[in-house]
Amino acid sequence: MDPSLSHPPAPERLRIGAVLLAAGAASRMGHRPKSLLERDGVPLIRRQVDALAAAGVAPVVVVLGHYRARVGAAIAGADVRCVVNPDAQAAQNVSLSLGLRELPDGLDGVLVTLADLPLIGEQEIVALLAAFRARPTGTRFVRPWVDGQPGHPVLFDGGVRQEMLAAGPAGAGPAWAAAHPEAVHRWSSANHHHIVDIDTEEDIDRLAQQGVALHWPGDLTP
């Protein structure tokens, strides 16, 4: 028997890039960069970068703003491109537009994630990639949906990136999804990791009660 007939062909590999947003002021955290919180001794932003690489997502653009020197140092040596939002007070969609602009054309999709997602790892990203590949016909934007709540990361096709860039910051991210509800696939997931982020010290305490310990670097410990 022809060996090529005994196994189904491998699915075509998609070229997925990513924008990792890490420009925020973290005002609710006492103006300490949440992305530098450490889990098992590794800053959250570095965990995100490593998870993207392990899942085969490349290229990755990291958008910095507030604390850019300190946060950038946490991902030194990683295979990412960093871009700085010069208006650190601007809304998140401005940072997203900057990141999208730095990605190359020709991508099949763009994954957008945040630097303060303590439970997102390679497994969650791989599952999102699979959901994107299997999304319903006609949909172009995939978002995890867990217990009636929207989650992160999100993933959309390369054409959506071009439309967001053409629309400018006001038409990027959630604004695009709101304007095109028919193109958004609410991917139903039971994985609560997609809806856990860190905004306050209470969030850190809540995670600790669930067995996930986050610690500040020594000089940022309150």
Side-chain angles (χ1 to χ4, degrees):
M1 174 184 287
D2 185 343
S4 66
L5 300 179
S6 60
H7 300 285
E12 181 183 358
R13 182 178 177 86
L14 298 180
R15 188 181 181 207
I16 307 294
V19 176
L20 173 56
L21 299 173
S27 58
R28 287 185 285 174
M29 198 67 83
H31 295 278
R32 288 171 295 161
K34 299 178 291 181
S35 60
L36 295 183
L37 276 165
E38 296 177 355
R39 180 179 175 188
D40 299 326
V42 181
L44 293 183
I45 189 169
R46 186 74 195 212
R47 290 177 63 89
Q48 286 283 290
V49 166
D50 291 347
L52 289 166
V57 176
V60 175
V61 175
V62 180
V63 185
L64 305 173
H66 289 276
Y67 326 111
R68 55 185 173 272
R70 181 73 183 271
V71 175
I75 52 174
D79 186 15
V80 300
R81 176 178 176 82
C82 292
V83 59
V84 174
N85 182 347
D87 181 3
Q89 304 298 330
Q92 192 177 81
N93 57 348
V94 175
S95 291
L96 174 57
S97 290
L98 287 170
L100 293 176
R101 193 180 305 157
E102 292 296 319
L103 288 172
D105 293 335
L107 294 173
D108 296 300
V110 176
L111 184 151
V112 179
T113 191
L114 310 175
D116 61 349
L117 303 177
L119 303 181
I120 295 298
E122 178 187 358
Q123 177 180 337
E124 285 74 24
I125 294 171
V126 168
L128 178 60
L129 295 174
F132 179 74
R133 185 185 293 276
R135 68 193 185 278
T137 301
T139 58
R140 309 171 61 197
F141 187 113
V142 176
R143 178 159 216 167
W145 213 261
V146 183
D147 288 348
Q149 299 181 58
H152 290 93
V154 302
L155 181 52
F156 47 80
D157 70 31
V160 171
R161 168 184 171 264
Q162 295 289 358
E163 292 171 22
M164 288 184 183
L165 288 175
W176 188 95
H180 303 83
E182 76 290 344
V184 177
H185 173 45
R186 292 183 176 186
W187 166 48
S188 180
S189 172
N191 188 343
H192 284 76
H193 293 185
H194 289 288
I195 54 173
V196 175
D197 63 359
I198 298 296
D199 289 317
T200 65
E201 288 286 349
E202 289 73 21
D203 293 333
I204 296 175
D205 294 340
R206 193 175 301 112
L207 271 180
Q209 294 170 9
Q210 299 171 19
V212 179
L214 301 179
H215 301 284
W216 290 104
D219 62 316
L220 295 179
T221 301

